Amino acid sequence: MKAYLDYNATAPLREGLKAVMLEAMSAPANASSMHGFGRAAKKRLEDARKQVADAISVFPSEILFTSSGTEANNLALRGFPTRKLFVSAIEHPSVLKAMEGVELLPVDGQGVVRLEALEAALAGQEHGAALVSVMLANNETGVIQPISEISTLCRKYGALLHVDAVQGVGKLPLDMGLLGADMMTLSAHKAGGPVGVAALAIRQNIAIRPLLTGGRQELGRRAGTENIPAIAAFGALMQVGLDSNAIEQMKAQRDRLEAEILAFAPEVAIFGIGAPRLPNTSMLAMPGVASETQLMAFDLAGIAVSAGSACSSGRIEPSRVLKAMGVETGLAGNAIRVSLGVTTTPQEIDCFISEWKKLYTRTRKNAA
Ligand code: PLP
């Protein structure tokens, strides 16, 4: 591999976390057991809970560990069966498909939720009858949503607000009080933690209906023996906090990538570029070249990128996110997502830019 540029899919395990996991795996670890091993596991669990809670400024009792961001999102939406659900049209499928009958909130051409549409939707409900779910940052375009404004509207109409902050971990400040969220989903593996561990933060005065029953773990809100090694690594990851210098450097590399490609081919579309975006993400369309063709060419060149869109049975469907943004289907079918991490090197970016230019030049010659 010459360049790994698919951090929004999953990030390489961060240095030091393998050691944390191996250490936690070195003894039996069921945190519900009464004996010494169980108590040691329980301590690791509660230490990690405090680390995650501190990172987002909530109480430890407000952190509920889950197996994935997908599970946390499902729990957040299915946990309130009597509320009317409003979710943005660009949510991750684990929100969009969590429940039947969710109502979609439109986004503008930059991929930002239309606040007037949210207000109209909430005004049409009885006070206190709705649950709104809007992501902090989109996994395909990186576009950041105006969560504080959304929270203000939710308060006005007594709606609960769930924020899927999976793509914000390690990239954006995640103070839950400042964001004004009632529930927030985090996942470890997009930020260098292990796959298979995540959390739902939920305000302590809010009673949620569990998805998994049959055990008293997680204060009875999520049954099942906790995955202590993964949870310990998640805690250690969150304790590290944001490295603002590394994030600045990552953003500078993303900006250089976009600037060089635009200088070479000004006709290239970069989606959401006019909105606040994550510092690591770029979704761009190579005119006239299908996403699949690009992915294969980059893969052959040793570069891992992705189509922002879902790949089902080997076929890439045009992105729902771009569709919701009003991007025309042909152009959406030319889009790929490049996502960087704090360990991405300038050489990896050079390598991507050079392959991108080669591929575009080749396909334009073939078309001529
Ligand atoms: N939410 C967003 C915005 C995501 O990007 C993802 C993963 O792609 C998820 C939720 C699901 O997280 P997990 O992979 O931990 O199930």
Side-chain angles (χ1 to χ4, degrees), residues 8 68-70 73 92 94 135 137 139 164 166-167 187 189-190 198:
N8 287 11
S68 61
T70 298
N73 282 345
H92 187 265
S94 55
M135 65 202 330
N139 43 305
D164 173 356
V166 165
Q167 292 293 347
S187 182
H189 74 102
K190 310 284 184 183

Side-chain angles (χ1 to χ4, degrees), residues 47-246:
D47 287 350
R49 195 185 307 282
K50 178 152 180 8
Q51 288 167 325
V52 175
D54 286 350
I56 62 167
S57 307
V58 300
F59 295 115
S61 60
E62 295 178 311
I63 296 293
L64 200 164
F65 288 115
T66 63
S67 67
S68 61
T70 298
E71 183 194 331
N73 282 345
N74 269 263
L75 174 61
L77 269 73
R78 293 196 200 182
F80 301 89
T82 59
R83 287 189 178 245
K84 171 79 191 165
L85 300 177
F86 295 100
V87 315
S88 88
I90 55 160
E91 293 302 305
H92 187 265
S94 55
V95 166
L96 287 173
K97 309 265 183 212
M99 289 283 275
E100 295 279 301
V102 295
E103 203 158 300
L104 298 186
L105 301 166
V107 297
D108 65 18
Q110 292 297 317
V112 178
V113 171
R114 289 188 183 277
L115 295 178
E116 71 286 0
L118 171 62
E119 174 137 36
L122 293 178
Q125 297 294 310
E126 229 175 86
H127 190 91
L131 167 61
V132 174
S133 181
V134 176
M135 65 202 330
L136 178 58
N138 184 262
N139 43 305
E140 297 189 19
T141 60
V143 168
I144 297 172
Q145 300 300 324
I147 297 297
S148 302
E149 279 109 307
I150 290 170
S151 166
T152 305
L153 285 175
C154 288
R155 297 274 165 272
K156 182 170 166 192
Y157 294 96
L160 286 180
L161 173 61
H162 167 248
V163 174
D164 173 356
V166 165
Q167 292 293 347
V169 179
K171 302 171 205 155
L172 296 176
L174 293 176
D175 184 307
M176 190 152 138
L178 287 182
L179 287 168
D182 298 300
M183 292 184 278
M184 191 157 86
T185 295
L186 309 170
S187 182
H189 74 102
K190 310 284 184 183
V195 176
V197 64
L200 182 68
I202 173 162
R203 287 292 177 209
Q204 52 193 357
N205 56 341
I206 298 175
I208 193 164
R209 191 175 78 165
L211 272 186
L212 303 179
T213 52
R216 300 190 49 77
Q217 292 90 352
E218 302 299 295
L219 298 175
R221 295 168 302 184
R222 198 260 183 190
T225 304
E226 295 92 345
N227 181 354
I228 300 296
I231 289 174
F234 186 19
L237 170 78
M238 296 302 282
Q239 194 183 27
V240 174
L242 292 182
D243 178 344
S244 40
N245 284 338

